[in-house]
């Protein structure tokens, strides 16, 4: 369900930038959680010995982009107690349209503690590092080729040349037909005014 809500990031960025983002965050989200879990396992005397399977770090890296890029559209309040008079403001919990996404992500982060929280934290930090350009310089320069996401290769001049030819063709056609259309419009407008006055008498 969380991935379904996060698809808006691909629509916002486009397929090529989205694929580039996934490719650039893949190494840290795959390598850092196991390394961190191995270090913490030694420090906790083999108590922290489980890292859940699945794309939790990638989901939380996407969630960081969702948090930064998608604005809140509306907020609503769930009233938890009744107020005795209308002049007092009612107390309650304030939620937004993004709250359901965050609640689902929180459930994922807390599902298999402490390993799922480590994976979620690493994903969030990697996503924020990518957003703030705090990571390696290759993150900002990496772009997947267009054929990876199904884009066709076009000549740069082809689009402009076709546009120029189409505009020239429309220009010639409108110059020839312009006189006929202009006269028809003037006659129609004049006749319309005359017909309006004729109907009044």
């Amino acid at each position: 369900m969380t991935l379904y809500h996060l698809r808006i990031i691909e629509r916002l960025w486009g397929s090529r930038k989205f694929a580039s983002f996934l490719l650039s965050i893949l190494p840290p989200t795959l390598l850092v959680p196991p390394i961190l879990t191995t270090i913490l396992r030694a420090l906790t005397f083999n108590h922290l010995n489980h890292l859940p399977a699945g794309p939790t770090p990638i989901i939380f890296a996407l969630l960081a982009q969702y948090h930064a890029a998608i604005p809140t559209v509306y907020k609503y309040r769930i009233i938890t107690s009744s107020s005795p008079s209308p002049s007092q403001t009612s107390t309650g919990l304030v939620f937004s349209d993004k709250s359901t996404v965050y609640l689902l992500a929180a459930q994922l982060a807390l599902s298999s503690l402490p390993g799922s929280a480590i994976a979620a934290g690493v994903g969030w930090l990697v996503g924020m590092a990518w957003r703030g350009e705090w990571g390696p310089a290759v993150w900002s320069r990496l772009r997947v080729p267009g054929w990876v996401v199904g884009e066709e290769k076009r000549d740069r001049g082809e689009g402009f040349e076709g546009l120029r030819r189409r505009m020239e063709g429309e220009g010639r056609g409108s110059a020839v037909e312009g006189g006929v259309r202009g006269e028809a419009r003037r006659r129609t407008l004049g006749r319309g005014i005359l017909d309006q006055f004729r109907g009044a008498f």
Side-chain angles (χ1 to χ4, degrees):
M1 193 68 173
T2 305
L3 284 174
Y4 177 77
H5 286 288
L6 296 179
R7 77 188 195 284
I8 194 169
I9 297 296
E10 182 183 7
R11 280 193 263 154
L12 179 70
W13 286 349
S15 296
R16 189 170 180 191
K17 184 175 179 181
F18 186 74
S20 300
F21 167 74
L22 290 178
L23 186 66
S24 65
I25 66 162
L26 196 61
T29 56
L30 286 178
L31 298 175
V32 173
I35 292 170
L36 192 59
T37 304
T38 305
I39 293 169
L40 290 175
R41 182 177 141 191
L43 295 175
T44 59
F45 303 109
N46 291 335
H47 180 67
L48 181 63
N49 198 17
H50 176 11
L51 190 62
T56 304
I58 294 173
I59 289 172
F60 274 84
L62 277 170
L63 190 67
Q65 307 311 312
Y66 179 82
H67 173 73
I70 307 300
T72 299
V73 177
Y74 59 87
K75 292 184 179 183
Y76 57 94
R77 180 186 307 269
I78 296 179
I79 299 175
T80 56
S81 65
S82 61
S83 60
S85 67
S87 62
Q88 291 180 342
T89 59
S90 59
T91 60
L93 302 171
V94 177
F95 293 102
S96 71
D97 58 327
K98 294 167 67 172
S99 297
T100 54
V101 177
Y102 295 137
L103 288 173
L104 291 170
Q107 185 269 334
L108 179 63
L110 301 174
S111 63
S112 182
L113 286 174
S116 59
I118 290 172
V122 167
W124 184 269
L125 290 175
V126 167
M128 292 306 279
W130 186 89
R131 182 97 183 157
E133 297 180 1
W134 301 329
V138 73
W139 277 3
S140 61
R141 288 180 293 165
L142 180 68
R143 291 287 181 257
V144 297
W147 60 266
V148 172
V149 293
E151 291 179 1
E152 294 180 10
K153 186 177 179 182
R154 292 182 290 184
D155 282 340
R156 288 188 173 264
E158 182 181 311
F160 295 118
E161 189 63 31
L163 178 64
R164 184 183 62 80
R165 275 183 280 165
R166 192 173 77 220
M167 294 299 287
E168 286 177 353
E170 288 177 2
R172 273 190 240 118
S174 64
V176 173
E177 297 170 359
V180 176
R181 284 185 186 168
E183 288 176 12
R185 283 187 192 149
R186 277 186 243 129
R187 269 188 280 157
T188 306
L189 180 63
R191 283 190 182 169
I193 292 172
L194 286 175
D195 290 341
Q196 188 174 10
F197 285 117
R198 284 184 197 155
F201 295 118

